[in-house]
Amino acid sequence: MAPNYVMIVALITFICFSLSFGDDAMLPTSHNNLIDKPKYCNKSCGNVNIPFPFGMTPDCALRNQFLVTCNYSFHPPQPFLGNSSIEITSISLSGQLKVLHFISRDCYRDGISTNRTKPYIVLPSLLTVDNTANSFIAVGCDTYAIVQGYYTKFGTEIEYLRYITGCMSMCYSIDEADDDTCSGVGCCKTSIPKGTSNVNITLSSYNNYNDTNMTNDPSCSYAFVVDQANFNFSKSYLSSLQNTKKLPLVLDWAVGEDKCEIAKRNSTAYACKSNNSYCHDDSNGYRCSCMQGYDGNPYLSCQDIDECIDRKPDYRCAKDAICQNTEGSYTCICPPDFSGNGTVCNRDNPQRITQNIYFVIGATAGVAFAIIIVFGWSYTAFQRRKMSKMKKKFFQENGGLVLQQRLTREEGSSHNNTIKIFTAEELEKATNGFDKDRVVGHGGFGTVYKGYLKDNCIVAIKNLR
Ligand SMILES: *[C@@H]1O[C@H](CO)[C@@H](O)[C@H](O)[C@H]1NC(C)=O
Ligand SMILES: *[C@@H]1O[C@H](CO)[C@@H](O)[C@H](O)[C@H]1NC(C)=O
Ligand SMILES: *[C@@H]1O[C@H](CO)[C@@H](O)[C@H](O)[C@H]1NC(C)=O
Ligand SMILES: *[C@@H]1O[C@H](CO)[C@@H](O)[C@H](O)[C@H]1NC(C)=O
Ligand SMILES: *[C@@H]1O[C@H](CO)[C@@H](O)[C@H](O)[C@H]1NC(C)=O
Ligand SMILES: *[C@@H]1O[C@H](CO)[C@@H](O)[C@H](O)[C@H]1NC(C)=O
Ligand SMILES: *[C@@H]1O[C@H](CO)[C@@H](O)[C@H](O)[C@H]1NC(C)=O
Ligand SMILES: *[C@@H]1O[C@H](CO)[C@@H](O)[C@H](O)[C@H]1NC(C)=O
Ligand SMILES: *[C@@H]1O[C@H](CO)[C@@H](O)[C@H](O)[C@H]1NC(C)=O
Ligand SMILES: *[C@@H]1O[C@H](CO)[C@@H](O)[C@H](O)[C@H]1NC(C)=O
Ligand SMILES: *[C@@H]1O[C@H](CO)[C@@H](O)[C@H](O)[C@H]1NC(C)=O
């Protein structure tokens, strides 16, 4: 029994050990701790994070193109791209820069253009206007808008090419316009080329808003390149645009103009500095990303993700499995009593637990039984000893001792066989267990029985009361 108990205790200890081991594996790691370079660089301007390769001083930014000017005269402070009026709202290491830029406006009073704004976007190399997220949009009822500039054509050689495009919108009333869609009535839109780095908008009117048949109050036209996800056209938009100065725009950035293959050749200039990062080609150059299982800034250092804590939707450990983080990955281990590859864990033997319970019950019953047996045995032995003590006492009280002494003294003499001391068992046998049929009479001190000894001698045995 004892070794089995040891086994159970050992099993419990092992489970406890495994669990505490699992807890240890879940200790938070410092994977969110980005190493920024150099340490004294300001990491944010107002509410906007400025991650490397962007920076606010020349030694904090990887290149001049990634210089950000933080204007502390705003509350909260506002970051601008370089020396431009392009206001940054967020910088993403996956290659996007969300900015706000002025809209072009052209208003008329009595056929005379007033308050014309002509903002101009010039992006440094490595930055382009995202052509899928943004569209060129013009709003008005007597409006034509032209957008022109340069775009970068990437191929075997990088070329800067000119583009001119635009749209027009004529309507008798802005009320005719469809709500929620820029459908050509009161609003027109067109795409801009991929790789656009330069935007120059020309906004004008055919009739200088002097056509009495065209009611357009206020008599204004607007044009802008805008992030479509953040722009909904509606009739009321025309009046609200009057108070809008800036609209959102999405820019793309690359860390270098070359393709990865070429960029890798110059290890000093190659930007994917982290050992756990990789390079990928983008439409306007190359960028870096952390490898799978890593997180952080690929231009500085990618840190191992503790997948056991940051459980992504593709987390593959089974519900019962113990997750252990490893460098760049993690493993799933089925707990004791389970088997499987960690993704799937099945109980080894579904009856094993119940078997263990039965085993414990059985073992307990066995021990209890053994205890009862031992107690019973010792009680019987005690009783027997008490009986034999009593017998000895009676033997002495009835002169047995004297008789025995005499017998010992006369040993060796001819009287040797004349007196014999019988044991209680011998007498019992001789009387067939003090059978009633063997009774030959009842005396004052007891009953007399007829007995047969082993040698068929017939004797009378008196059993004292
Ligand atoms: C860093 O930010 C602090 C305020 O948070 C500002 O006073 C300081 O000039 C900034 N330094 C740089 C280099 O921008
Ligand atoms: C900050 O913004 C204010 C107001 O727009 C402007 O006058 C000032 O020149 C800006 N400062 C810098 C350093 O750009
Ligand atoms: C901003 O303007 C200053 C002075 O005109 C110039 O020295 C600096 O290089 C400019 N910075 C950028 C990022 O263009
Ligand atoms: C506007 O139209 C009126 C008549 O319709 C005309 O007299 C006036 O000269 C026009 N103004 C301009 C600036 O074209
Ligand atoms: C032009 O701007 C001035 C001052 O900024 C303003 O008073 C006027 O109403 C504006 N005109 C139009 C047609 O928006
Ligand atoms: C914008 O385009 C117009 C028309 O082609 C041109 O006259 C103007 O100089 C351009 N503006 C800039 C800043 O290049
Ligand atoms: C305004 O519309 C009327 C009728 O639709 C037309 O006869 C007239 O020529 C139009 N005026 C202008 C300036 O287009
Ligand atoms: C545009 O419309 C969509 C759905 O109608 C809405 O979710 C979104 O917030 C709107 N965007 C803006 C800038 O109003
Ligand atoms: C590598 O890049 C550095 C920094 O941009 C540059 O100074 C150096 O000339 C480049 N080396 C080669 C072999 O192109
Ligand atoms: C990156 O790997 C190289 C060689 O494999 C090694 O010398 C260097 O220390 C590693 N850097 C880091 C930050 O682990
Ligand atoms: C684990 O086993 C299950 C079922 O046997 C299988 O579907 C799954 O692909 C396996 N996963 C791995 C990582 O081997």
Side-chain angles (χ1 to χ4, degrees):
M1 291 292 162
N4 290 333
Y5 271 105
V6 171
M7 244 173 63
I8 294 165
V9 172
L11 194 69
I12 291 165
T13 315
F14 178 69
I15 294 166
C16 295
F17 171 75
S18 318
L19 289 179
S20 65
F21 185 74
D23 285 348
D24 278 351
M26 284 181 187
L27 281 176
T29 54
S30 57
H31 69 280
N32 285 330
N33 198 6
L34 290 184
I35 305 161
D36 259 9
K37 169 215 146 171
K39 290 265 183 257
Y40 53 82
C41 291
N42 274 1
K43 291 187 181 75
S44 65
C45 171
N47 300 322
V48 183
N49 285 325
I50 314 291
F52 190 79
F54 290 84
M56 288 177 273
T57 55
D59 53 344
C60 286
L62 183 66
R63 303 180 202 287
N64 280 346
Q65 292 96 312
F66 302 134
L67 265 172
V68 172
T69 308
C70 193
N71 193 328
Y72 292 96
S73 62
F74 294 94
H75 296 284
Q78 282 179 3
F80 291 87
L81 188 64
N83 286 344
S84 75
S85 61
I86 299 170
E87 184 187 332
I88 299 168
T89 53
S90 83
I91 299 172
S92 142
L93 286 176
S94 59
Q96 286 196 328
L97 203 62
K98 293 200 171 173
V99 301
L100 290 173
H101 195 248
F102 289 111
I103 62 174
S104 292
R105 174 192 282 112
D106 191 22
C107 293
Y108 293 83
R109 186 176 289 144
D110 303 325
I112 295 157
S113 173
T114 60
N115 296 3
R116 181 175 282 182
T117 59
K118 262 182 75 67
Y120 188 71
I121 300 174
V122 190
L123 296 176
S125 62
L126 300 176
L127 281 112
T128 55
V129 178
D130 188 308
N131 68 310
T132 53
N134 305 293
S135 276
F136 175 68
I137 287 177
V139 175
C141 257
D142 178 11
T143 303
Y144 75 86
I146 295 165
V147 58
Q148 56 184 310
Y150 293 91
Y151 69 99
T152 320
K153 194 173 169 150
F154 292 91
T156 43
E157 264 178 54
I158 296 165
E159 291 177 278
Y160 296 95
L161 301 171
R162 251 182 94 86
Y163 74 91
I164 303 180
T165 184
C167 67
M168 59 175 283
S169 164
M170 305 294 283
C171 50
Y172 287 93
S173 167
I174 195 77
D175 292 332
E176 294 168 16
D178 287 335
D179 253 342
D180 305 325
T181 129
C182 184
S183 60
V185 180
C187 178
C188 67
K189 74 174 175 186
T190 187
S191 312
I192 52 161
K194 192 174 176 176
T196 295
S197 60
N198 188 305
V199 177
N200 175 4
I201 295 168
T202 306
L203 188 59
S204 199
S205 157
Y206 287 111
N207 300 310
N208 297 343
Y209 287 92
N210 201 21
D211 186 338
T212 47
N213 285 347
M214 290 183 187
T215 56
N216 189 353
D217 187 42
S219 303
C220 288
S221 292
Y222 307 93
F224 36 83
V225 179
V226 71
D227 176 12
Q228 289 184 89
N230 282 301
F231 174 78
N232 295 333
F233 175 76
S234 72
K235 276 178 242 182
S236 58
Y237 210 84
L238 198 64
S239 46
S240 74
L241 268 174
Q242 250 201 318
N243 305 315
T244 306
K245 280 196 171 129
K246 291 178 172 181
L247 280 177
L249 183 67
V250 181
L251 305 182
D252 291 331
W253 62 272
V255 76
E257 270 175 352
D258 295 318
K259 295 285 169 197
C260 289
E261 204 190 325
I262 296 155
K264 273 176 191 166
R265 289 183 199 156
N266 188 342
S267 60
T268 46
Y270 184 53
C272 306
K273 293 292 181 202
S274 171
N275 276 2
N276 302 314
S277 71
Y278 67 96
C279 179
H280 50 94
D281 292 328
D282 214 337
S283 59
N284 49 346
Y286 79 93
R287 279 191 301 108
C288 313
S289 288
C290 285
M291 293 194 295
Q292 180 156 13
Y294 291 87
D295 200 2
N297 189 325
Y299 306 98
L300 297 168
S301 126
C302 293
Q303 321 278 308
D304 174 46
I305 296 172
D306 191 339
E307 290 87 351
C308 298
I309 297 170
D310 293 355
R311 295 191 177 182
K312 303 239 165 75
D314 62 351
Y315 179 75
R316 58 171 193 268
C317 289
K319 193 166 74 66
D320 303 304
I322 297 158
C323 178
Q324 279 178 12
N325 186 45
T326 61
E327 189 67 21
S329 188
Y330 62 103
T331 54
C332 313
I333 299 161
C334 290
D337 264 355
F338 285 78
S339 66
N341 57 16
T343 310
V344 175
C345 288
N346 293 313
R347 260 183 217 283
D348 274 341
N349 180 354
Q351 285 120 37
R352 186 142 161 197
I353 298 266
T354 33
Q355 272 179 353
N356 279 347
I357 291 167
Y358 286 143
F359 173 72
V360 169
I361 291 170
T364 313
V367 168
F369 184 70
I371 289 166
I372 289 165
I373 294 280
V374 168
F375 267 95
W377 178 79
S378 44
Y379 181 74
T380 318
F382 169 75
Q383 286 290 351
R384 210 179 281 153
R385 224 176 29 242
K386 199 171 145 193
M387 192 71 130
S388 101
K389 243 186 203 162
M390 248 161 75
K391 272 185 186 167
K392 210 168 171 185
K393 200 176 146 210
F394 286 145
F395 184 69
Q396 283 169 1
E397 277 174 4
N398 292 309
L401 211 59
V402 183
L403 194 64
Q404 208 170 31
Q405 277 167 0
R406 268 186 64 183
L407 276 173
T408 323
R409 264 208 308 277
E410 285 172 13
E411 214 170 329
S413 75
S414 57
H415 300 287
N416 201 9
N417 290 328
T418 50
I419 298 170
K420 186 175 180 342
I421 297 175
F422 294 94
T423 65
E425 285 79 23
E426 278 171 319
L427 296 178
E428 213 174 305
K429 211 170 182 182
T431 57
N432 196 20
F434 298 100
D435 195 342
K436 271 187 205 151
D437 292 349
R438 298 278 181 91
V439 175
V440 289
H442 296 280
F445 296 104
T447 313
V448 181
Y449 294 84
K450 183 183 182 181
Y452 297 90
L453 294 183
K454 270 188 199 153
D455 52 0
N456 282 335
C457 264
I458 299 168
V459 289
I461 295 162
K462 188 171 190 176
N463 191 9
L464 293 178
R465 242 175 244 163

